[in-house]
Amino acid sequence: MGSFSTSNHVTLVYHDDGIPIFAADVGKLLRLLYHIDFGAPTNSKVESQFIRIFGVFSHAEIDLRFWKAVSAQLGRRGSEYILRCKTGAGTPLPFKKSSGAFSPQLYPPLEASQWREHGADIEIDESQRLE
């Protein structure tokens, strides 16, 4: 454990206008749900990829309709944001070239005005609304 591989990690949601959401097996029918995100420390001139963890859920707790809606909502940040989240990691880390470990991608910060009003057209049950 501790590494993502093809045997313990799958794409849970891949939405054309949304953000891919992944599930990693953490044992005992539990899944770690996450997506690749971008962010920057205050006053930074670059944004870096990082893993945003949604939480650990049992297989029975994972509602694909809900996660599709989350993917679509995140996709409202714009096409450049979607592209950055879907882009693979950067170059292999020098000390782990054979392990498949990669450095995060770096980009200049996105403009806040890229938010899209449309694109989150998936219905969400009232019980699934984020508050």
Side-chain angles (χ1 to χ4, degrees), residues 1 6-7 11 22-23 29 39-40 45-46 51 53 74 108 113 115 131:
M1 292 293 200
T6 55
S7 65
T11 303
F22 304 97
L29 300 177
K45 295 184 191 290
V46 295
I51 297 174
I53 297 173
L74 289 170
S113 63
W115 183 265
E131 298 188 24

Side-chain angles (χ1 to χ4, degrees), residues 41-54:
T42 305
N43 298 324
S44 176
K45 295 184 191 290
V46 295
E47 287 186 336
S48 174
Q49 278 181 329
F50 65 93
I51 297 174
R52 180 176 302 276
I53 297 173
F54 293 115

Side-chain angles (χ1 to χ4, degrees), residues 1-10 22-26 32 34 36 51 53 99-100:
M1 292 293 200
S3 298
F4 297 123
S5 68
T6 55
S7 65
N8 72 0
H9 154 263
V10 297
F22 304 97
D25 182 3
V26 292
L32 174 82
Y34 69 95
I36 304 301
I51 297 174
I53 297 173
S99 72

Side-chain angles (χ1 to χ4, degrees), residues 44-104:
S44 176
K45 295 184 191 290
V46 295
E47 287 186 336
S48 174
Q49 278 181 329
F50 65 93
I51 297 174
R52 180 176 302 276
I53 297 173
F54 293 115
V56 176
F57 303 91
S58 71
H59 191 271
E61 292 175 311
I62 299 173
D63 180 349
L64 283 178
R65 292 177 301 150
F66 173 76
W67 291 106
K68 285 179 182 178
V70 170
S71 171
Q73 285 292 331
L74 289 170
R76 292 181 66 199
R77 293 182 179 179
S79 58
E80 181 63 25
Y81 176 78
I82 292 170
L83 180 65
R84 290 180 182 193
C85 290
K86 288 181 178 180
T87 301
T91 57
L93 294 173
F95 58 91
K96 293 195 172 204
K97 284 184 180 175
S98 63
S99 72
F102 291 87
S103 63

Side-chain angles (χ1 to χ4, degrees), residues 63 65-67 69 123-131:
D63 180 349
R65 292 177 301 150
F66 173 76
W67 291 106
E123 294 288 323
I124 302 175
D125 293 342
E126 286 300 316
S127 64
Q128 297 173 332
R129 292 216 179 265
L130 300 175
E131 298 188 24

